[in-house]
Amino acid sequence: MEPQTQQPTEDGGSNKAAGSSANMLCRQSRWTPTTDHIRILNELFYNKGVRSPTIEQVQRICLQLKWYGKIEFKNVYYWFVNQRSQEKQKKRSTSDVHVPMQRSGLVDDDKVTNWKHEDQYINFGSSAPASASSAGVLIAFNG
Amino acid sequence: MEPQTQQPTEDGGSNKAAGSSANMLCRQSRWTPTTDHIRILNELFYNKGVRSPTIEQVQRICLQLKWYGKIEFKNVYYWFVNQRSQEKQKKRSTSDVHVPMQRSGLVDDDKVTNWKHEDQYINFGSSAPASASSAGVLIAFNG
DNA sequence: TGATTATGAATGAACG
DNA sequence: CGTTCATTCATAATCA
C-alpha cells in the first residue's frame, strides 16, 4: 500500500533527507507512522474488520503499537477515523465517465479512476468474516 | 509564480512523453494540466469564486474539463484543495511577522483543543460493537 | 544535465 | 461523521 520508501527512523528523526540545507530544525510536528504501525493497523482494519474501535480497544491497540515506535492515543484514534473517511472518498470518484477528447487520439482511459495510489492495486477487505484469508484480497488493475 | 507559458505539445496527445531515455517503462505518475485546464480552473476559482466545490460540482467540472484533455476526479479535487492552501500561504507571507497560527484563528485561548495539553479528553460518540449511545461520551486518558 | 522551483498527491489532524 | 486545513512527499517543469 505504500509505494514510498519509508525509512524506519521512528525516533523522531528528520524525515526527508531532501535539502540538508542549513536548517537543522528537526521539530517533529506530527506522527509519522512506521511500516510496522501501518502494517498492524491495516491488518486490524481490513483483515480483522476493526472499523470503529472503542476507547478501550484504541488504548489497547496503542499500547501494542508503542512497542514498534512512538505513538499516542490520538494517532490511533484519528487513523481509524481517517481510514473510514478515506474509504468513502474512494467511492466518490466513480461516475468518472469517459468523454472523447478533442485533440489527441484515444489515450488509455482508466475508466474507474483508481483514486489514490498509482499502484494499481486496491485492497478489498471490508467487514471481515471469521473465515477470512490471512491477507486481504488483492485485485490488480492494469491499464 | 505563474509559469503560464506552457507548451506541452498537447496536439500530439500525450503531453508527458517523458522518458526518451533508457527507461522504457515510465508509467505516467501524475496529472499534468493543460493550459486550457488551468485557464478554466482559474476562471472558476477567481472570477466565479468557486472555492470549495461540492462533490457533484467537482464531478461536473471534471466532465467539462475532460473535453480538453485527460483528467480525473481527484485531479480537480486536489487542485481546489491546493489552490485554497496556496492562497492562504500567500496571505500568510504578506503579514510579515507570521505568528504560527494553530488553527484558523478562531480558537479562544484553550477552548476545545485539548489534544496538546496534559489532560487529554476526546469526545467519542461513534458506534461501539457492544452498545452505542448517541450521546458523546467523554473519556479521559493519560498519554 | 543536475539543481531548483512549482505543484500534484497524500495523509495526519482537527473543526462543525 | 463529513469536511476542511496544514504539512509533508514526490515529481513535472524549468532554470543555470
Side-chain angles (χ1 to χ4, degrees):
Chain A
M1 195 168 179
E2 253 61 352
Q4 39 185 334
T5 59
Q6 185 143 62
Q7 63 281 13
T9 59
E10 64 244 34
D11 302 74
S14 57
N15 251 0
K16 197 58 178 175
S20 75
S21 57
N23 195 354
M24 290 282 286
L25 182 62
C26 327
R27 164 186 36 183
Q28 181 168 19
S29 58
R30 84 178 193 186
W31 169 55
T32 56
T34 68
T35 49
D36 289 320
H37 285 163
I38 297 297
R39 181 175 47 80
I40 294 171
L41 286 170
N42 274 326
E43 183 163 322
L44 283 171
F45 192 81
Y46 291 105
N47 295 17
K48 304 271 189 156
V50 180
R51 315 297 264 212
S52 298
T54 66
I55 296 294
E56 292 79 15
Q57 286 175 307
V58 172
Q59 285 176 336
R60 193 181 307 260
I61 293 166
C62 180
L63 202 62
Q64 308 253 351
L65 289 179
K66 272 178 193 259
W67 200 90
Y68 297 97
K70 189 183 182 215
I71 195 172
E72 301 175 28
F73 179 91
K74 67 169 183 178
N75 303 132
V76 181
Y77 171 74
Y78 281 138
W79 190 87
F80 279 97
V81 172
N82 284 318
Q83 283 303 308
R84 271 176 276 148
S85 181
Q86 288 168 195
E87 191 173 61
K88 290 202 169 184
Q89 280 191 350
K90 289 186 186 180
K91 304 278 184 202
R92 292 180 186 150
S93 66
T94 62
S95 79
D96 197 28
V97 207
H98 179 267
V99 170
M101 291 191 303
Q102 176 188 22
R103 296 181 173 82
S104 67
L106 198 58
V107 293
D108 58 338
D109 85 87
D110 46 348
K111 46 185 60 175
V112 179
T113 52
N114 297 335
W115 176 254
K116 236 159 217 181
H117 288 164
E118 289 304 322
D119 268 32
Q120 282 147 347
Y121 299 97
I122 58 177
N123 201 332
F124 286 96
S126 71
S127 302
S131 62
S133 55
S134 55
V137 185
L138 215 60
I139 299 185
F141 286 85
N142 205 348
Chain B
M1 203 60 183
E2 208 68 30
Q4 190 73 0
T5 57
Q6 136 187 87
Q7 37 190 4
T9 67
E10 46 195 323
D11 300 273
S14 64
N15 42 0
K16 55 180 74 73
S20 57
S21 303
N23 193 354
M24 251 180 280
L25 196 55
C26 55
R27 138 172 59 142
Q28 164 211 128
S29 64
R30 96 177 189 188
W31 169 57
T32 58
T34 67
T35 50
D36 289 318
H37 286 163
I38 298 296
R39 180 176 47 80
I40 294 173
L41 286 169
N42 275 326
E43 182 165 322
L44 283 171
F45 192 82
Y46 291 105
N47 294 91
K48 301 270 193 162
V50 180
R51 309 302 243 237
S52 299
T54 66
I55 299 301
E56 291 78 19
Q57 286 175 307
V58 172
Q59 285 174 340
R60 190 181 300 264
I61 294 166
C62 181
L63 245 166
Q64 309 258 345
L65 289 178
K66 268 177 186 283
W67 202 86
Y68 298 97
K70 190 185 181 195
I71 194 172
E72 302 174 22
F73 176 91
K74 67 170 184 179
N75 304 132
V76 181
Y77 173 76
Y78 281 137
W79 189 87
F80 278 97
V81 171
N82 284 317
Q83 282 304 305
R84 273 178 316 216
S85 182
Q86 288 169 201
E87 191 179 58
K88 194 162 278 188
Q89 278 184 351
K90 279 266 173 85
K91 297 200 170 182
R92 203 175 303 171
S93 62
T94 58
S95 71
D96 221 13
V97 187
H98 178 264
V99 175
M101 51 183 176
Q102 181 80 344
R103 211 62 192 166
S104 304
L106 204 50
V107 274
D108 290 337
D109 292 334
D110 51 348
K111 192 63 168 302
V112 188
T113 325
N114 291 333
W115 283 119
K116 299 277 197 251
H117 290 66
E118 315 176 26
D119 283 331
Q120 297 182 324
Y121 299 89
I122 79 163
N123 195 341
F124 196 83
S126 65
S127 62
S131 64
S133 59
S134 302
V137 185
L138 208 62
I139 297 188
F141 66 94
N142 41 6

